[in-house]
């Protein structure tokens, strides 16, 4: 991500948008359980929401500088920050009550790597566990905002099929003006 993008994702404005927009939706999804994985926390304002909801959060961030900063900021809390690629983690299978992925999928270079991420998430979830995410729609203004960055939006139409191929059941796939939002479950 470029510097402007990171600054925005660290800003009070983004924190406020997450509290007024993401949090009510997350609450409507229902309890995420006691042991959550967050994919791609970035500066960690989404992590701050999640750590209020669960006993334990494991955040996996591929950018080493962002991972180090977040680990330093959250030392001594209920969050463990791991540096690494979430398409291929060392975490245990069938352990987690939920996996979240907020504004990360479009930062993954290819649909094939996105599908590898879905398969890895399916592996990590315990039976009945939820995969919950939001991501950018394919809009010209969002393409321009990612001018010098990866932008691989996931078409809403293909998402159910791709999540099912990873072994997940669809609970809900929805979209608003800017985002798709989805909830899937590992079969119990
Ligand atoms: C747009 S930011 C979103 C940050 C945060 N979730 C939020 O909504 O404020 C996307 C983050 O995903 C991370 N990311 C991209 N691909 C990843 C991967 N394969 N594994 C882990 N993190 C990844 C990026 O480094 C970046 O920090």
């Amino acid at each position: 991500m470029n510097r402007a993008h990171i600054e925005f994702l660290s800003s009070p404005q983004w924190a406020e948008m997450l509290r007024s927009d993401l949090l009510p939706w997350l609450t409507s999804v229902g309890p995420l359980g006691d042991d959550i994985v967050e994919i791609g926390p970035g500066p960690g304002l989404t992590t701050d929401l999640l750590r209020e909801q669960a006993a334990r959060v494991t955040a996996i961030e591929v950018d080493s500088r962002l991972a180090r900063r977040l680990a330093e900021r959250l030392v001594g809390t209920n969050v463990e920050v791991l540096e690494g690629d979430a398409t291929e983690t060392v975490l245990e299978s069938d352990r987690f009550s939920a996996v979240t992925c907020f504004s990360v999928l479009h930062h993954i270079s290819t649909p094939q790597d996105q599908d590898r991420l879905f398969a890895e998430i399916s592996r990590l979830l315990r039976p009945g566990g939820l995969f919950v995410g939001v991501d950018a729609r394919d809009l010209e203004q969002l393409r321009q905002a990612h001018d010098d960055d990866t932008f691989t939006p996931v078409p809403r139409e293909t998402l159910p099929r791709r999540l099912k191929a990873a072994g997940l059941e669809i609970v809900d796939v929805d979209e608003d003006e800017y985002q798709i939002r989805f909830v899937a479950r590992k079969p119990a």
Side-chain angles (χ1 to χ4, degrees), residues 1 5-6 9-10 14 18 22 38-47 60-63 66 82 84-88 101-109 117 134 146:
M1 288 189 297
H5 205 147
I6 292 174
L9 295 175
S10 312
W14 184 237
L18 293 172
L22 180 66
E38 181 185 22
I39 311 289
L45 297 188
T46 43
T47 320
I60 308 172
E61 173 54 57
V62 76
D63 180 307
L66 288 172
L82 303 178
D85 180 351
T87 63
E88 200 175 27
C101 194
F102 302 131
S103 307
V104 177
L105 296 176
H106 67 276
H107 280 282
I108 295 183
S109 306
L117 178 65
V134 303
H146 291 78

